[in-house]
Amino acid sequence: MATVLLTTEISRTLNKHLLKLICAKGSVRYASVDRIEKVLIANRGEIACRVMRTAKKMGVRSVAVYSEPDRHSMHVAMADEAYHIGPAASQQSYLCMDKILDVAKKSCAQAVHPGYGFLSENTEFAEQCKKEGIIFIGPPSSAIRDMGIKSTSKHIMSAAGVPIIEGYHGEDQSDEKLQKEAARIGYPVMIKAVRGGGGKGMRIAVSEATFHEQLQSARREARKSFNDDVMLIEKFVENPRHVEVQVFGDQYGNVVYLFERDCSVQRRHQKIIEEAPGPDISSEVRRRLGEAAVRAAKAVNYVGAGTVEFIMDAQHNFYFMEMNTRLQVEHPVSEMITGTDLVEWQLRVAAGEKLPLTQEEIVLRGHSFEARIYAEDPSNNFLPGAGPLLHLSTPQEDQCTRIETGVREGDEVSAHYDPMIAKLVVWGEDRSAALKKLRYCLRQYNIVGLNTNIEFLLSLSGHPEFEAGNVHTSFISQHYDQLFPSVQEVSPEVLCQAALGLLLQEKHYTDKYRDQSSDMYSPFACSNGRRLNVLQCRELTLQLGDKKIALSVTYNPDGTYSMETEGQVFHVSGELQMDRDVTYLWCSLNGVMCRPKLIILDNTIHIFSTEGSTQIDVPVPKFLAGVTASSAQSGAVAPMTGTIEKVLVKVGDFVQKGDPLMVMIAMKMEHTIRAPKAGVIRKVLFKEGSQANRHAALVDIEEKDGAEAD
């Protein structure tokens, strides 16, 4: 009896202490990590949607946070709950720790998933979560700190037996010291922010003459992105491969690797196409890569999903570059070749479970590619863009095809955040099959409303050297001419398809008017071109750039058309068909059948087929046309909406064509605005810190040739 009473008293005491842990600051707290029933995703866009899908599958409720421009975004619509956290600026919303933690407490979320970017590798945020009794779905703050400072991580990796590359990681950060170390290491060198990532705060100095300019540019971008401009200098390995290993650890000291990814093909030091496993990597090198990555993770007591990045030379020697202490953008390709869900692993490990699989149970099967679809203009140095998705149609998802996105048709790609629209992920039995699948799906990914890199991705994935797996970080610059071929002439067949699309749309609207009209025999309710004793002929004008093209259309009695353009005659027929809210043009040209996708918006016809995409305009009458956007400019204009970070000139300065005028921050990247011509600065129209809209005049230049200003 005494034993029972003692046991009861101990139970009461434990329950009392447990209640103290559970109730804090008037809100429900959870002391145990055995269960996660609600998770807050401290991010936006594609990655927030990705986490929510797995959470829903596991029966875990999701909480979204959003800034003002994201109020109607896809991740807000997908969440079980959503909380407004501030204006567009990340520093006042997605980077504001206090606001996010306040939402976590208000919503009674037991855990926070940081996604990637924003606060995902912020030591202070991880520590604040722990202090508040909220599970941070990521590694310990000590691992984030050690791996986040590149100079520290190099020392740790060297001690752990992980190969590292020569460089300077010292405390003396004077320009003179860094330049001296660069000369010692030998040009070219890579200048990197110690807290960098995602290509931010990274520059290549090819010679001593360019070192100072590149250093200052890297410092500015690092301060803006990480609030820290400490730099390290490393020997730049020319034409290396960027190979990274997916690792995963649990709270019991177990760490596994899920094989490597090749992310070599990049622009602006940012990845655009990734694959797993790496092409032409032997099983022996693959094993050594994986084991080195596991040593790296164990050296910092790593828990959760992480990526160890290596530089690999032509002889397959590899050197530690950095460790990303978070889920990577390109994690889906690792999932596709291992049959895993890494977000599910994150949630289970964060809840105190052991790793779902041992190293021996993780099997590599097949090959996977991921293509990042961006709002950008590849022909203009991959300049990021923003704007509405007026039309968006995608390939059908299945077990071999995934689309990771955070936008829908009608949404806008914001100038405030990253310009990525989606990730197209495919799987095949081998690399050749996966690459074939990737190209097929890219043809079906059609967007109208802004520039994208889809055609460039098609050109890249179809390049013979890429098909052969001969990839490296200089791939784009080395094969630039082949990747950016001259614009092909639009064929007469495509012009006829565009004309047929216009005629069938006109017929559709006429039939609609007829059905609503009280006079079905009105001449306005007929579009078949019927005439007595004669066939109706009609002239159409289409426009390709500045070139106008005439088509002569004859309406035949059987409802078909005869079209003549550039001396060729085509017998044309067809109809419009709807499939999944997309219009297709089912047409026959001289007996050859085809079914391109057709989008007509305003005065522009967009045709998408397996052969490519074409944009054809219908000329606007002069009395309807406004002032053209091609008016001569007297100075430099903003290529996109952004913030003026630095003004480099003043009124009266003389500049040569190409001289830097301003530094602009847009889409999380630094852009240098250069003089379009030589002359004298007449007006500087924006101050540092001010916001400039796209195409706004920034600097007024009075043209002068050859003579210095007084």
Side-chain angles (χ1 to χ4, degrees), residues 3 80 109 140 142 177 202-203 214 266 277 309 326 389 397 402 466 502 541 570 583 610 694:
T3 304
D80 295 300
S142 58
K177 176 63 174 176
M202 292 174 57
R203 296 292 185 274
Q214 297 300 330
Q266 306 176 11
E309 300 192 347
R326 52 172 168 80
L389 292 162
E397 291 191 75
R402 282 170 59 177
F466 187 88
L502 281 176
T541 301
F570 297 87
T583 302
T610 55
R694 185 185 182 201

Side-chain angles (χ1 to χ4, degrees), residues 515-531:
D515 294 340
Q516 296 173 351
S517 171
S518 58
D519 183 5
M520 295 182 59
Y521 300 101
S522 166
F524 300 107
C526 180
S527 62
N528 60 12
R530 183 179 179 184
R531 297 292 186 270

Side-chain angles (χ1 to χ4, degrees), residues 23-141:
C23 299
K25 300 180 183 178
S27 61
V28 177
R29 313 300 311 132
Y30 291 82
S32 171
V33 296
D34 291 336
R35 295 174 65 189
I36 296 176
E37 295 184 352
K38 183 184 287 190
V39 60
L40 183 150
I41 297 94
N43 218 298
R44 64 178 298 279
E46 170 267 323
I47 185 58
C49 296
R50 164 72 185 92
V51 175
M52 288 175 194
R53 279 194 292 273
T54 289
K56 185 176 182 179
K57 179 183 74 174
M58 297 175 67
V60 176
R61 288 172 289 167
S62 58
V63 180
V65 291
Y66 64 92
S67 65
E68 188 56 40
D70 280 342
R71 182 176 292 274
H72 303 292
S73 65
M74 183 173 169
H75 81 276
V76 172
M78 283 184 66
D80 295 300
E81 304 171 36
Y83 293 78
H84 178 253
I85 55 170
S90 299
Q91 291 83 356
Q92 300 173 56
S93 53
Y94 296 108
L95 288 173
C96 187
M97 290 182 276
D98 291 342
K99 290 181 179 179
I100 289 172
L101 288 171
D102 184 54
V103 170
K105 287 182 277 189
K106 283 180 179 177
S107 64
C108 298
Q110 297 100 340
V112 171
H113 194 301
Y116 52 73
F118 293 133
L119 296 170
S120 62
E121 295 178 283
N122 188 297
T123 304
E124 184 182 350
F125 183 63
E127 290 173 348
Q128 285 282 2
C129 287
K130 184 177 181 180
K131 183 179 177 182
E132 294 288 346
I134 299 168
I135 301 167
F136 176 77
I137 300 179
S141 59

